[in-house]
Amino acid sequence: MGVRGLQGFVGSTCPHICTVVNFKELAEHHRSKYPGCTPTIVVDAMCCLRYWYTPESWICGGQWREYFSALRDFVKTFTAAGIKLIFFFDGMVEQDKRDEWVKRRLKNNREISRIFHYIKSHKEQPGRNMFFIPSGLAVFTRFALKTLGQETLCSLQEADYEVASYGLQHNCLGILGEDTDYLIYDTCPYFSISELCLESLDTVMLCREKLCESLGLRVADLPLLACLLGNDIIPEGMFESFRYKCLSSYTSVKENFDKKGNIILAVSDHISKVLHLYQGEKKLEEILPLGPNKALFYKGMASYLLPGQKSPWFFQKPKGVITLDKQVISMSSDAESREEVPMCSDPESRQEVPMCTGAESRQEVPMCTGPESRREVPMYTDSEPRPEVPMCSDPESRQEVPVCTGPESRQEVPMCSDPEPRQEVPMCTGPESRQEVPMYTDSEPRQEVPMYTGPESRQEVLIWTDPESRQEIMCTGHESKQEVSICTDPISKQEDSMCTHPEINKKLPVATDFEFKLEALMRTNPEIKQEDPTNVGPEVKQQVTMVSDTEILKVARTHHVQAESYLVYNIMSSGEIECSNTLEDELDQALPSQAFIYRPIRQRVYSLLLEDCQDVTSTCPAVKEWFVYPGNPLRHPDLVRPLQMTIPGGMPSLKILWLNEEPEIQVRRLDTLLACFNLSSSREELQAVESPFQALCCLLIYLFVQVDTLCLEDLHAFIAQALCLQGKSTSQLVNLQPDYINPRAVQLGSLLVRGLTTLVLVNSACGFPWKTSDFMPWNVFDGKLFHQKYLQSEKGYAVEVLLEQNRSRLTKFHNLKAIVCKACMKENRRITGRAHWGSHHAGRWGRQGSSYHRTGSGYSRSSQGQPWRDQGPGSRQYEHDQWRRY
């Protein structure tokens, strides 16, 4: 994560950049400086997960009660110090960072293979050096923090940008995380989570001003340095030869520094002594070997610019009026030219946030971010040290970091909120307009094609397909062709890209969707892209959504931003979702990957969420799934078609499920949820189950119907651990130690937890028929406890032993078992003990050569005997419920 090599450089070469600070002292200083203002720390939660997960055991599926207790202690410690925490989670993977995401997932696959090899060899958990966070940790951490009463937000783009923007705009005490990108952003101070001592609240602050002093750079130069070194957008190898050229001409090589440290010093020296001579006079492509990577490089540079900031490295032309819908934003941070520029994301909101953008003069810039609040928050975009952190003060740093150079750049850019100028640019045709727009995926030159943004506009997108197969495939291959209706997101034209509901405006960063601002810039100034794309930085694509219903999209986005749902908004907006690595043994051919087991559920959810985007053939567009499973090289996403389902009373609309408050609608919500699991016939039995076992019972029925290699002993272990968990304290679970580690039990534990995350998706898509707490893992699952019950059940222990001789649990156990077995029998699935299996039995998900697996969809591969392992990733489509048992 972050800038390549910078973390090691700071730790070994420039340790003076790191200063030990105490949060209690910083908070006290902040309160004295800003009376009545609560010291606030923005937390990049994704960076903190592995530091928050302190339980010793991680291999068995997660110690969720222990983890929840650790989070509670974390929150309590900061609350006791009078510090407010705001948590941000990644809400989606940006396309520019998809390659980096794939690279990390493939690396994780290799690590998981080594983990299973170790388990099979030693029958114990590997050391912490091979630590791998439990599946679903990020998803359930959101809900844990919300349960603890914390403000938790999910990003609409890469979380680090929204974290940096929020910290800057809300005058926060600092950012807590572990990502060197926070050294590059010109925002509030950056604190390390890895160095945090929770007892004393001591940690390390990494000071970007001191980093600049060590490198001979200005704060405004750091984005350029980051891109030349490589980051999540710019591949490290792109400028490798350039870095070595800098190193060869660098005259101050330090013998006691490592190679990467000297490269960073050499590149910084080249920037300060060579590139600075041409700053503002020549374009970057004239002084750097950008070649065909120019657009990507500018995009990487622009990704570090927060709202109201600009880079002196972007060659400036005379500027005109730039229009954003309901938003007026200055792209200038000049010290001499400052006017009051209203920034409004809601017509009723009236919160004023003064923005200080220069070292000498500071004028208030009214920013409307909330409907009722009128709190003034000073904001900084220059390199002046933040007053609440005195240890980084450098009185001269303000003069060393000019925000812009050249006489042309010192002009204010008024940005008008009048929507009329948009009509001057032919970017939208009539409501019924249709246009065929060719889309290319090969290496041939692309033709500039305007995207149409009318709320009701439709455009036909030609995508090349295989002429021999004649399948209608929406894919990234070279040779397919199909007309696919795409509707643009009307919300982005009507409201601020971050705030869709007035009641949440006060909680969200204002104008943090940088790509949207750039898109509007190019929309109103079409000559920019034709003549000089470097004026605006990254190349921006038109935002499109799978669903056109504005009201429903608003609700979905609100739930997404407030971290109340999972994947729903991603499906409805971009039609693209991802799931990271799971502890799965690629050599175990008897157990399928969770990606395939739960795919039919997701397909039914797609049909529910995308119902209004069906074309004339009554088919919904495919959803792109970036799911990690053994054998998937992740070169392309799997393209998965929705799967129609039968619901008593018919398929309800999302408006009914999400917006109708009548009591009888709750019945329809539950019917829809059960239909997603194909369990409508077991409705009465499931309704008789008490909380919190109803959701777990639903999940177990689905699992045992889908996977024939699950046996009666597995069912006993799942039920017994859930019942015994209810009577155990956190300390009892900490002291629990399984006799040894079984690789199959490891995979089963992760499989169940992934099922719980699937329940989160289905429950939120259906309008929350069940309480979310009923399927939070700390209420129904514990890794070590399940492992213990699995080993006991495998050895043939009596049910009484599994239930620890508790008679009240025995009755509940038999009731739950009977419900699961009865529901499975309705699907012609008889759950038997392992003793009844013959030596040939491998189940439907059989090993190589087994002929027993489900067919009937036309997609099964009867000649291969392991359809779930050999599913080709990429452009293959999945339409029918090929895994359903017949």
Side-chain angles (χ1 to χ4, degrees):
M1 295 179 68
V3 184
R4 303 296 179 262
L6 188 56
Q7 186 71 46
F9 175 80
V10 168
S12 61
T13 307
C14 296
H16 65 280
I17 294 171
C18 305
T19 306
V20 177
V21 296
N22 182 271
F23 278 129
K24 295 178 183 178
E25 296 176 0
L26 294 179
E28 196 61 40
H29 182 80
H30 189 276
R31 277 188 288 268
S32 63
K33 194 78 173 179
Y34 306 101
C37 182
T38 303
T40 302
I41 293 177
V42 197
V43 183
D44 186 338
M46 302 301 290
C47 293
C48 300
L49 293 177
R50 61 175 52 248
Y51 302 102
W52 286 336
Y53 190 86
T54 56
E56 180 183 349
S57 173
W58 49 268
I59 197 71
C60 300
Q63 301 311 112
W64 296 96
R65 284 269 181 93
E66 297 176 52
Y67 180 63
F68 187 87
S69 179
L71 285 177
R72 183 170 52 216
D73 292 341
F74 182 87
V75 169
K76 278 185 176 180
T77 303
F78 280 92
T79 302
I83 299 174
K84 181 181 179 181
L85 300 175
I86 305 289
F87 297 90
F88 275 84
F89 287 82
D90 278 331
M92 57 186 63
V93 177
E94 294 184 1
Q95 291 304 315
D96 298 322
K97 299 190 177 183
R98 178 63 69 185
D99 289 344
E100 184 63 28
W101 184 90
V102 168
K103 181 180 177 181
R104 292 172 184 167
R105 303 292 82 77
L106 297 178
K107 178 183 177 183
N108 289 344
N109 277 342
R110 296 189 291 270
E111 294 174 356
I112 290 173
S113 296
R114 289 194 292 269
I115 288 172
F116 275 100
H117 178 76
Y118 185 94
I119 293 173
K120 294 172 184 177
S121 302
H122 300 83
K123 294 188 175 181
E124 65 181 16
Q125 175 180 281
R128 192 75 179 187
N129 61 313
M130 296 179 71
F131 171 74
F132 198 88
I133 63 173
S135 301
L137 193 67
V139 176
F140 292 119
T141 301
R142 302 179 197 172
F143 292 96
L145 292 170
K146 292 184 75 68
T147 302
L148 293 169
Q150 298 303 293
E151 188 169 342
T152 306
L153 301 174
C154 197
S155 69
L156 290 169
Q157 58 191 99
E158 198 74 14
D160 56 1
Y161 183 90
E162 294 192 14
V163 167
S165 178
Y166 190 99
L168 174 67
Q169 296 186 21
H170 292 78
N171 191 33
C172 290
L173 191 64
I175 294 169
L176 184 62
E178 201 67 25
D179 189 340
T180 47
D181 277 335
Y182 294 124
L183 271 175
I184 307 301
Y185 287 111
D186 189 7
T187 181
C188 58
Y190 161 44
F191 304 104
S192 169
I193 181 65
S194 65
E195 300 294 335
L196 175 65
C197 175
L198 194 59
E199 290 76 16
S200 63
L201 283 182
D202 287 338
T203 189
V204 165
M205 182 184 68
L206 292 87
C207 185
R208 63 182 64 86
E209 286 78 12
K210 289 185 178 180
L211 174 65
C212 289
E213 182 182 348
S214 301
L215 299 176
L217 300 177
R218 310 161 184 169
V219 172
D221 299 331
L222 292 178
L224 177 60
L225 174 66
C227 291
L228 291 175
L229 295 177
N231 53 25
D232 290 348
I233 295 179
I234 309 297
E236 187 175 7
M238 184 175 292
F239 294 99
E240 186 173 6
S241 59
F242 170 78
R243 292 194 296 270
Y244 279 101
K245 288 180 180 179
C246 292
L247 183 61
S248 63
S249 60
Y250 184 50
T251 58
S252 304
V253 174
K254 305 294 191 300
E255 295 182 359
N256 56 332
F257 288 0
D258 60 13
K259 187 176 182 180
K260 285 189 176 180
N262 276 311
I263 287 178
I264 293 176
L265 291 173
V267 173
S268 302
D269 184 72
H270 183 80
I271 292 173
S272 63
K273 295 183 178 178
V274 179
L275 301 186
H276 271 170
L277 299 176
Y278 305 101
Q279 188 183 69
E281 298 181 6
K282 290 189 176 182
K283 301 176 183 179
L284 283 175
E285 62 268 27
E286 298 179 66
I287 55 178
L288 286 173
L290 301 187
N293 304 309
K294 179 177 68 173
L296 181 62
F297 189 82
Y298 276 102
K299 196 159 195 172
M301 288 274 292
S303 69
Y304 289 109
L305 298 180
L306 302 180
Q309 298 177 350
K310 71 177 182 181
S311 173
W313 292 101
F314 289 168
F315 184 79
Q316 301 297 320
K317 285 187 175 182
K319 294 171 274 188
V321 176
I322 304 170
T323 301
L324 284 183
D325 305 321
K326 294 189 179 181
Q327 205 170 23
V328 183
I329 302 176
S330 170
M331 300 298 288
S332 172
S333 299
D334 300 348
E336 296 178 2
S337 170
R338 293 228 174 21
E339 297 179 8
E340 290 194 357
V341 183
M343 298 176 63
C344 182
S345 60
D346 187 277
E348 299 177 4
S349 54
R350 292 291 183 273
Q351 181 184 5
E352 292 187 1
V353 184
M355 177 187 298
C356 302
T357 55
E360 303 299 332
S361 67
R362 309 199 169 192
Q363 277 192 303
E364 294 185 358
V365 183
M367 298 171 53
C368 304
T369 59
E372 299 176 0
S373 62
R374 295 181 60 88
R375 184 166 63 88
E376 294 189 352
V377 183
M379 303 173 59
Y380 307 89
T381 60
D382 59 13
S383 62
E384 181 182 7
R386 309 317 185 243
E388 62 271 26
V389 189
M391 62 286 305
C392 263
S393 59
D394 182 356
E396 298 183 1
S397 62
R398 292 179 294 177
Q399 302 172 4
E400 294 178 356
V401 191
V403 178
C404 48
T405 61
E408 292 182 347
S409 66
R410 297 192 173 276
Q411 297 178 2
E412 185 57 70
V413 185
M415 303 183 65
C416 174
S417 60
D418 183 6
E420 292 303 317
R422 273 183 296 155
Q423 300 175 0
E424 300 175 5
V425 184
M427 295 302 291
C428 177
T429 65
E432 301 299 326
S433 66
R434 300 171 66 91
Q435 182 192 10
E436 290 193 345
V437 183
M439 296 178 63
Y440 307 91
T441 58
D442 57 13
S443 57
E444 298 180 11
R446 277 34 165 193
Q447 181 180 0
E448 299 282 351
V449 180
M451 301 293 291
Y452 291 78
T453 59
E456 302 297 329
S457 67
R458 293 168 58 86
Q459 54 194 351
E460 297 297 312
V461 181
L462 301 184
I463 308 176
W464 301 107
T465 108
D466 184 358
E468 297 181 1
S469 66
R470 297 184 178 274
Q471 290 184 347
E472 292 186 350
I473 300 178
M474 181 180 177
C475 69
T476 55
H478 286 265
E479 305 163 20
S480 72
K481 185 177 181 181
Q482 181 204 6
E483 292 190 353
V484 183
S485 298
I486 301 179
C487 43
T488 59
D489 185 1
I491 297 180
S492 63
K493 296 179 57 178
Q494 297 175 358
E495 306 200 27
D496 180 89
S497 61
M498 286 296 298
C499 305
T500 62
H501 283 196
E503 64 270 16
I504 65 170
N505 283 345
K506 58 185 178 181
K507 296 182 179 181
L508 302 178
V510 179
T512 58
D513 194 344
F514 185 73
E515 290 197 3
F516 174 66
K517 295 197 295 291
L518 290 173
E519 175 194 335
L521 178 68
M522 294 167 63
R523 198 189 305 149
T524 55
N525 297 271
E527 72 282 356
I528 289 179
K529 186 172 183 180
Q530 299 171 3
E531 297 180 5
D532 185 12
T534 64
N535 282 279
V536 294
E539 178 183 339
V540 179
K541 296 180 180 179
Q542 171 67 37
Q543 179 186 4
V544 296
T545 61
M546 300 283 280
V547 176
S548 59
D549 191 316
T550 305
E551 185 178 15
I552 288 299
L553 274 177
K554 284 183 180 180
V555 176
R557 178 148 55 176
T558 300
H559 286 312
H560 173 92
V561 170
Q562 296 296 337
E564 295 169 350
S565 65
Y566 173 57
L567 296 182
V568 171
Y569 182 67
N570 306 63
I571 295 167
M572 299 178 71
S573 59
S574 65
E576 188 168 12
I577 62 174
E578 54 276 323
C579 181
S580 188
N581 305 78
T582 305
L583 283 179
E584 297 175 335
D585 183 5
E586 63 180 352
L587 301 180
D588 184 355
Q589 300 292 326
L591 278 177
S593 170
Q594 64 86 20
F596 293 111
I597 292 178
Y598 299 117
R599 174 173 281 169
I601 299 176
R602 298 193 301 273
Q603 289 179 277
R604 297 184 185 105
V605 171
Y606 300 158
S607 71
L608 176 66
L609 298 179
L610 305 178
E611 182 184 17
D612 77 333
C613 64
Q614 295 181 359
D615 58 23
V616 291
T617 63
S618 298
T619 59
C620 289
V623 174
K624 298 178 182 179
E625 290 189 350
W626 293 91
F627 275 59
V628 181
Y629 53 83
N632 184 5
L634 295 172
R635 295 191 186 97
H636 307 287
D638 290 336
L639 301 178
V640 182
R641 291 279 183 189
L643 180 66
Q644 296 301 316
M645 55 183 170
T646 302
I647 303 175
M651 174 85 81
S653 68
L654 292 180
K655 287 188 176 181
I656 291 177
L657 294 176
W658 293 6
L659 303 178
N660 196 318
E661 300 295 337
E662 297 177 6
E664 59 269 20
I665 299 301
Q666 192 69 2
V667 176
R668 301 202 66 184
R669 294 186 181 108
L670 180 58
D671 286 340
T672 307
L673 181 146
L674 294 178
C676 289
F677 284 88
N678 198 32
L679 295 178
S680 298
S681 60
S682 300
R683 187 183 193 280
E684 292 184 6
E685 293 88 342
L686 286 171
Q687 276 195 303
V689 178
E690 65 184 53
S691 176
F693 305 112
Q694 196 175 52
L696 177 66
C697 202
C698 171
L699 183 57
L700 290 178
I701 294 171
Y702 178 83
L703 279 176
F704 278 79
V705 168
Q706 290 293 307
V707 187
D708 286 349
T709 53
L710 293 177
C711 61
L712 198 60
E713 289 82 0
D714 300 328
L715 180 60
H716 288 175
F718 279 127
I719 297 176
Q721 71 84 28
L723 291 172
C724 293
L725 179 62
Q726 309 308 311
K728 293 193 179 294
S729 64
T730 302
S731 59
Q732 287 177 309
L733 295 172
V734 170
N735 296 325
L736 193 66
Q737 294 297 333
D739 294 338
Y740 62 92
I741 300 299
N742 180 291
R744 186 172 183 273
V746 169
Q747 188 162 340
L748 287 181
S750 296
L751 178 61
L752 185 78
V753 173
R754 285 298 187 195
L756 296 177
T757 64
T758 304
L759 267 169
V760 176
L761 164 64
V762 178
N763 195 55
S764 52
C766 296
F768 305 97
W770 281 341
K771 293 189 300 183
T772 306
S773 59
D774 285 352
F775 41 88
M776 290 297 104
W778 47 86
N779 291 327
V780 294
F781 180 79
D782 180 86
K784 286 194 297 184
L785 185 60
F786 168 72
H787 218 89
Q788 182 191 64
K789 303 305 176 185
Y790 176 90
L791 296 178
Q792 291 174 347
S793 183
E794 186 183 46
K795 293 175 182 177
Y797 283 28
V799 172
E800 291 78 8
V801 177
L802 295 181
L803 299 174
E804 302 170 1
Q805 308 299 334
N806 188 306
R807 289 189 176 183
S808 64
R809 294 174 189 163
L810 187 61
T811 303
K812 295 178 181 179
F813 176 91
H814 286 299
N815 288 339
L816 293 177
K817 177 183 174 181
I819 290 172
V820 173
C821 292
K822 180 180 178 181
C824 289
M825 284 301 296
K826 290 181 180 179
E827 296 293 324
N828 197 28
R829 163 73 158 104
R830 182 168 177 263
I831 305 175
T832 61
R834 193 172 286 113
H836 292 85
W837 290 1
S839 59
H840 66 280
H841 182 85
R844 172 174 63 94
W845 306 98
R847 296 179 184 277
Q848 184 72 31
S850 169
S851 61
Y852 178 55
H853 62 276
R854 293 171 190 164
T855 59
S857 68
Y859 287 82
S860 297
R861 298 177 165 213
S862 58
S863 63
Q864 296 188 6
Q866 45 179 350
W868 58 272
R869 288 297 185 204
D870 291 329
Q871 291 294 348
S875 59
R876 179 177 292 105
Q877 291 193 112
Y878 303 89
E879 293 194 18
H880 303 293
D881 185 356
Q882 65 193 89
W883 311 122
R884 192 182 183 287
R885 202 167 183 275
Y886 292 91

